[in-house]
Amino acid sequence: MSFHLARFFLQFGISSRTASINSSSGYYHLLFNPNKRKFTATAIPTAQKSSKEELLVVVGGGAAGVYGAIRAKTLAPNLDVLVVEKGNPLSKVKISGGGRCNVTNGHCSDIKILAEQYPRGHREFKGSFFDMHGPADTMSWFTDHGVALKIEEDGRVFPTSNSSSSVIDCLLSEAKHRGVSLQTRKVVSSASVEAGGKFLLKLEKRTVSFVENVKADYLLIASGSSQQGHSLAAQLGHSIVEPVPSLFTFKIADSGLAELSGVTFPKVEVKLKLENILRNTPHLTQVGPMLVTHWGLSGPVILRLSAWGARDLFSSGYKGTLIVDFVPDLHIEDMKSILNRHKHKYAKQKALNSWPLGFSLTKRFWKYIVDREGLIGDALWASISNNSIVSIAHLLKHCAFEITGKGQYKDEFVTAGGVPLSEER
């Protein structure tokens, strides 16, 4: 969920003049290249009265589209703004963050560090991008508009209500207050440019035979991973990087693991091994919370890993090996020592019912480890060999799972691809 990406608008022109706008954090400029004749980022002029009404059409009523429409009306109150949404506005906001809506990151104020957290595009984001509207600006905006926020331990920012409805109600209320028009159940099916430089857009209804032609001075394509937006961008001269899924869970072929569905791990280290990737890629190792599901593995650390490895996983057919360290804060030699001390202290207890509490493991997961190691359920700690202790320590530090696919969604929530960032500057 991000509200940082809705500040730029696609405008056609052949002038090589430089446009500038005064933002809260300084000036930024556009220099249009008449030789490439590309549609590029531009700023809508701030509140200046004009003899003619101008229209901005926003394609997509998600977080970026609605917030972008609000921002445009804030900067240029005399501008007519129309948001066209094919379904229900802000529908993904409603389900994001488990229904709580993860607004932004509240721990990272360093723009360069923040940009590095983006799997693709971090080089472009290191420029003036976050200077003009970063996480602090996002938090201030929502707070100023009545949405109380909280920063959780991992840096994620949520409304204190723990409900995405707080964010949705705020955005829709502010859009209405600013005079933004919203039309649903419609799609912008085509876009072209007239000789005079205006966009000619064809609007169609999804359920009935209806076609409407609209002329717009500005166009903001904020349709996310929708093919509709990609088609419009291509019609306007942009190249498209074919999208692939970029935020998904892993399917694991392990019946014993499936029995652990619902078990969570506050902190694990996961490393992705793919046959087609021989180089050492630091970002294919991640640390964070993990959740066991009935089909495999999920949780923030898996989703983050899927984002960084999106294209490599796609090219490998979503097959590979996941190495999990369930006790990342302990060295393997320390774990062997802890297991040996536990063996001597609890020699007469069954290994199945007793394990070092310092490992922070659940009983269900410990049974999985014991079973996977091949120990007999009634075996006492006194009978556990030193080789078995070494094997258990190694298994907890380097537990391998075969990835057989990715979790399925009707529509991919997040994808990697679309218009290259190099064409949006």
Side-chain angles (χ1 to χ4, degrees):
M1 194 71 258
S2 176
F3 295 92
H4 310 319
L5 309 182
R7 301 181 322 286
F8 298 117
F9 302 86
L10 296 174
Q11 182 186 36
F12 178 80
I14 56 173
S15 169
S16 60
R17 293 175 297 176
T18 300
S20 68
I21 183 172
N22 189 348
S23 71
S24 59
S25 55
Y27 287 84
Y28 65 96
H29 303 272
L30 160 74
L31 180 61
F32 181 80
N33 187 335
N35 297 319
K36 292 184 178 180
R37 297 185 63 83
K38 287 279 188 177
F39 299 84
T40 187
T42 187
I44 288 182
T46 51
Q48 296 177 356
K49 291 190 176 181
S50 173
S51 58
K52 61 186 180 75
E53 292 183 350
E54 291 187 315
L55 172 65
L56 160 67
V57 172
V58 179
V59 181
V66 174
Y67 184 79
I70 293 170
R71 183 64 175 164
K73 284 293 285 185
T74 302
L75 292 174
N78 296 321
L79 180 71
D80 287 334
V81 178
L82 169 63
V83 178
V84 181
E85 166 58 41
K86 65 181 180 180
N88 295 319
L90 303 173
S91 58
K92 286 189 176 180
V93 174
K94 185 176 182 179
I95 62 175
S96 70
R100 295 195 298 154
C101 185
N102 181 5
V103 176
T104 186
N105 185 286
H107 281 177
C108 190
S109 58
D110 188 307
I111 294 171
K112 290 185 177 180
I113 295 177
L114 181 64
E116 290 291 347
Q117 306 310 307
Y118 283 76
R120 289 153 292 278
H122 53 273
R123 292 183 181 87
E124 290 84 355
F125 288 163
K126 284 181 180 179
S128 61
F129 192 88
F130 287 118
D131 274 335
M132 298 188 313
H133 197 86
D137 301 306
T138 300
M139 293 177 67
S140 295
W141 190 89
F142 278 103
T143 300
D144 292 344
H145 289 80
V147 179
L149 302 173
K150 61 179 179 179
I151 304 175
E152 299 199 340
E153 187 176 349
D154 60 1
R156 291 180 299 168
V157 177
F158 293 96
T160 57
S161 65
N162 282 324
S163 173
S164 58
S165 295
S166 299
V167 174
I168 293 172
D169 292 345
C170 172
L171 289 170
L172 292 180
S173 175
E174 184 63 14
K176 182 178 180 180
H177 170 70
R178 293 286 176 182
V180 173
S181 298
L182 176 63
Q183 294 186 14
T184 59
R185 306 290 184 250
K186 290 184 179 181
V187 297
V188 179
S189 57
S190 69
S192 59
V193 178
E194 294 185 314
K198 283 196 174 188
F199 292 101
L200 180 59
L201 309 174
K202 180 187 289 185
L203 274 63
E204 298 184 44
K205 280 190 175 180
R206 301 184 68 189
T207 55
V208 298
S209 178
F210 170 88
V211 177
E212 178 183 1
N213 292 315
V214 174
K215 292 183 179 180
D217 301 275
Y218 305 94
L219 176 63
L220 168 59
I221 300 177
S223 52
S225 59
S226 167
Q227 289 297 321
Q228 172 200 11
H230 294 163
S231 174
L232 294 176
Q235 292 173 39
L236 296 173
H238 278 292
S239 55
I240 302 295
V241 177
E242 189 63 28
V244 299
S246 179
L247 202 65
F248 48 86
T249 59
F250 293 161
K251 286 185 177 179
I252 305 293
D254 186 327
S255 58
L257 184 68
E259 294 177 2
L260 300 178
S261 179
V263 172
T264 60
F265 299 89
K267 183 181 180 182
V268 299
E269 180 181 281
V270 295
K271 182 179 295 185
L272 185 61
K273 298 283 189 179
L274 302 173
E275 287 187 5
N276 62 329
I277 303 298
L278 301 179
R279 66 186 185 279
N280 182 26
T281 307
H283 289 305
L284 294 186
T285 299
Q286 296 290 329
V287 177
M290 188 175 74
L291 167 68
V292 181
T293 68
H294 64 273
W295 65 84
L297 295 171
S298 182
V301 73
I302 299 298
L303 297 177
R304 194 180 309 127
L305 189 62
S306 74
W308 282 100
R311 293 205 168 275
D312 293 328
L313 281 160
F314 175 78
S315 63
S316 69
Y318 301 102
K319 303 289 192 296
T321 302
L322 187 71
I323 309 297
V324 182
D325 181 352
F326 288 98
V327 196
D329 292 332
L330 288 176
H331 191 275
I332 190 168
E333 295 302 323
D334 294 328
M335 292 183 64
K336 293 176 186 177
S337 298
I338 292 171
L339 286 167
N340 271 309
R341 288 198 297 270
H342 191 88
K343 170 185 175 179
H344 294 301
K345 186 174 181 179
Y346 301 98
K348 296 183 179 181
Q349 292 190 12
K350 293 181 180 180
L352 185 62
N353 299 329
S354 176
W355 62 93
L357 297 180
F359 291 175
S360 300
L361 305 176
T362 66
K363 183 176 182 178
R364 290 170 65 193
F365 180 68
W366 178 252
K367 180 182 183 302
Y368 170 83
I369 292 295
V370 170
D371 290 344
R372 185 159 165 171
E373 182 55 29
L375 298 178
I376 299 174
D378 290 334
L380 301 179
W381 269 105
S383 67
I384 304 300
S385 67
N386 288 335
N387 285 341
S388 290
I389 285 179
V390 171
S391 295
I392 290 172
H394 187 272
L395 187 58
L396 288 170
K397 294 293 289 183
H398 306 281
C399 196
F401 298 97
E402 290 305 310
I403 301 171
T404 60
K406 65 177 182 64
Q408 298 293 322
Y409 291 95
K410 182 179 179 182
D411 295 306
E412 294 297 343
F413 195 79
V414 177
T415 59
V419 178
L421 284 174
S422 59
E423 295 183 13
E424 296 179 351
R425 297 182 66 82

